[in-house]
Amino acid sequence: MSADEQIFHVSNSMELFGRLIANHPEFWRKVGNLETRLLADQLENRELKSPVYVTGLARSGSTILLETLAQIPGVISHRYKDFPPVYTPYWWNWFMNQAGAGASKPQERAHRDGIMVTPDSPEAIEEVIWMGAFNHLHNPAVSNALTAESANAEFDRFYQEHLKKLLLSRGGSRYLSKGNYLVTRLQYILNMLPDARFVIPVRHPFGHIASLMKQHDLFSRGQQNNLRAREHLKRVGHLEFGLDREPINTGDNSTTQSILKLWDSGEEVRGWARYWNQVYGFLVDQMMENPLVGNASKIIRFEDLCATPADTIRAMLSHCDYRADTDFISSVAAGIHAPSYYKSKFTAQDEAIILEETSSAREKLGYTS
């Protein structure tokens, strides 16, 4: 097994347990409902106050923002160790506490981007629950967007009870989530949780697309001759990169199909640029056309985060109605800097293609060049 394939190692137990749960979502929802009924008294008066969702394309700085927000007292998020048994957060948390697993040594995550994680690190896990209820969310042939009209009362109830159980199991008061695919579900979430807040990280397309392409190449190499890794990433809903890459269809079928054709023909730069424009154009248009989405959303530019981290973090915390002192903000800001582990290798022609394809959304986001 190559060094690239080793970073996507999936243990026998993870493979078995993950497949058992992913292949039977209806059964596990029933188990989750049983857990809820047995916890009814403890959940009765628990509120879901202003949950926060970090969402945007991958490689936009979303993990840095997630880890920053997760440090606020009372804020609870899903963690790496919550997969595979996502549907029963209270029982699984109890089991893990009883097992008494010791602290794990931080390791660089598979992305090889310098971010160190442990099983207790916050991570995008709730996608498993969404996929179990809506089977079209990763199908690029149809719109993946969920709006208020997509309402599913059974899912809404299960989802909100799930979040309450997660808060109960870890003694938290505010829920925090990260999910790239949530970009097409802002209206749905607000219909379900009217006081939700959205943090939308974005990055200049030059740096953003370079990072996306680097990750896609890494994941593709790591998945060669590694079917288990590919199946694992499908189960957790991580299809941003690699051999099973699927673009988010924001509702524009023609553009999505053109992106797939560009990628299939090897036009990676133009394909990623068109995808960037589609996703962020969709987000900005939603914010402009729907006042509820606009008021609930805060765009965080990666360049601002790196150049003026303290001010950017302070503005983000204010939007989320989080309280943090100056020492905390200064401490977090001191560790934020522009990435230095790779450099863009775009040619002048590549950059011209990117500027052409991203002009619409780029200008709306304040990137004039």
Side-chain angles (χ1 to χ4, degrees):
M1 182 177 290
S2 70
D4 290 325
E5 290 171 345
Q6 288 176 5
I7 65 174
F8 292 98
H9 172 69
V10 178
S11 68
N12 290 333
S13 59
M14 178 66 76
E15 163 69 12
L16 177 61
F17 205 2
R19 179 158 33 88
L20 179 65
I21 291 179
N23 291 349
H24 305 282
E26 293 184 6
F27 170 79
W28 287 103
R29 277 197 297 272
K30 292 178 181 178
V31 177
N33 286 332
L34 174 61
E35 179 187 60
T36 299
R37 289 195 295 272
L38 295 177
L39 294 169
D41 290 343
Q42 298 178 67
L43 297 174
E44 184 176 2
N45 296 318
R46 187 164 291 273
E47 296 181 320
L48 290 176
K49 178 186 176 183
S50 301
V52 174
Y53 295 84
V54 180
T55 184
L57 280 182
R59 313 308 302 163
S60 59
S62 56
T63 298
I64 295 174
L65 300 182
L66 173 71
E67 293 188 336
T68 297
L69 296 171
Q71 296 180 56
I72 304 296
V75 173
I76 300 298
S77 65
H78 284 97
R79 303 173 183 173
Y80 278 90
K81 68 182 183 183
D82 291 328
F83 182 85
V86 182
Y87 288 93
T88 52
Y90 189 88
W91 287 342
W92 180 241
N93 194 75
W94 176 89
F95 173 79
M96 294 295 286
N97 289 338
Q98 297 302 308
S104 299
K105 182 180 179 180
Q107 296 182 340
E108 186 176 26
R109 64 179 185 163
H111 301 69
R112 289 182 177 172
D113 56 3
I115 294 179
M116 309 298 286
V117 298
T118 73
D120 286 305
S121 296
E123 175 59 335
I125 297 295
E126 72 168 66
E127 186 65 15
V128 175
I129 297 175
W130 289 91
M131 291 191 302
F134 300 94
N135 60 16
H136 69 287
L137 296 179
H138 295 277
N139 181 357
V142 299
S143 173
N144 305 148
L146 297 179
T147 66
E149 288 70 35
S150 309
N152 180 326
E154 181 179 353
F155 170 79
D156 293 358
R157 176 191 55 77
F158 184 91
Y159 180 79
Q160 293 177 72
E161 290 171 346
H162 174 85
L163 300 191
K164 290 179 180 180
K165 289 186 292 186
L166 192 67
L167 294 176
L168 175 65
S169 69
R170 293 176 179 158
S173 57
R174 298 280 299 276
Y175 175 64
L176 168 67
S177 172
K178 185 191 87 166
N180 301 326
Y181 299 100
L182 297 175
V183 295
T184 56
R185 306 170 201 165
L186 304 190
Q187 293 183 42
Y188 190 103
I189 291 172
L190 280 177
N191 187 60
M192 180 170 49
L193 300 164
D195 61 351
R197 291 291 177 267
F198 305 119
V199 173
I200 302 173
V202 65
R203 188 174 180 180
H204 190 283
F206 283 170
H208 201 165
I209 292 167
S211 185
L212 287 164
M213 291 179 63
K214 176 181 181 296
Q215 289 301 310
H216 176 63
D217 182 59
L218 173 62
F219 273 56
S220 296
R221 295 197 313 270
Q223 291 172 343
Q224 291 289 344
N225 306 313
N226 196 345
L227 180 60
R228 180 177 288 190
R230 295 176 64 176
E231 292 303 315
H232 173 76
L233 291 173
K234 289 178 184 178
R235 293 184 191 116
V236 296
H238 194 346
L239 302 174
E240 297 95 332
F241 320 110
L243 301 180
D244 300 297
R245 170 180 58 176
E246 298 286 7
I248 299 170
N249 184 332
T250 62
D252 185 342
N253 292 334
S254 176
T255 297
T256 301
Q257 293 309 307
S258 73
I259 292 166
L260 285 169
K261 289 179 180 178
L262 287 169
W263 284 341
D264 288 343
S265 65
E267 296 188 64
E268 289 287 316
V269 172
R270 189 175 293 277
W272 279 112
R274 189 169 298 179
Y275 186 39
W276 189 97
N277 192 71
Q278 180 192 35
V279 170
Y280 283 108
F282 173 80
L283 280 168
V284 173
D285 288 346
Q286 276 197 97
M287 293 175 62
M288 295 174 63
E289 296 168 4
N290 187 324
L292 294 178
V293 174
N295 291 334
S297 302
K298 175 71 174 177
I299 290 176
I300 302 293
R301 300 202 322 174
F302 183 78
E303 296 75 22
D304 297 336
L305 181 65
C306 294
T308 56
D311 290 343
T312 304
I313 292 170
R314 189 176 294 109
M316 176 178 66
L317 294 176
S318 176
H319 174 72
C320 298
D321 195 23
Y322 284 160
R323 301 288 180 263
D325 58 31
T326 302
D327 290 341
F328 170 81
I329 294 175
S330 298
S331 175
V332 172
I336 296 176
H337 53 78
S340 58
Y341 60 93
Y342 75 96
K343 293 183 179 180
S344 167
K345 298 180 180 179
F346 289 140
T347 64
Q349 182 179 7
D350 290 334
E351 292 186 350
I353 289 172
I354 292 172
L355 292 177
E356 172 195 345
E357 290 286 347
T358 64
S359 61
S360 176
R362 180 166 45 82
E363 292 174 4
K364 293 176 182 178
L365 289 164
Y367 292 116
T368 56
S369 61

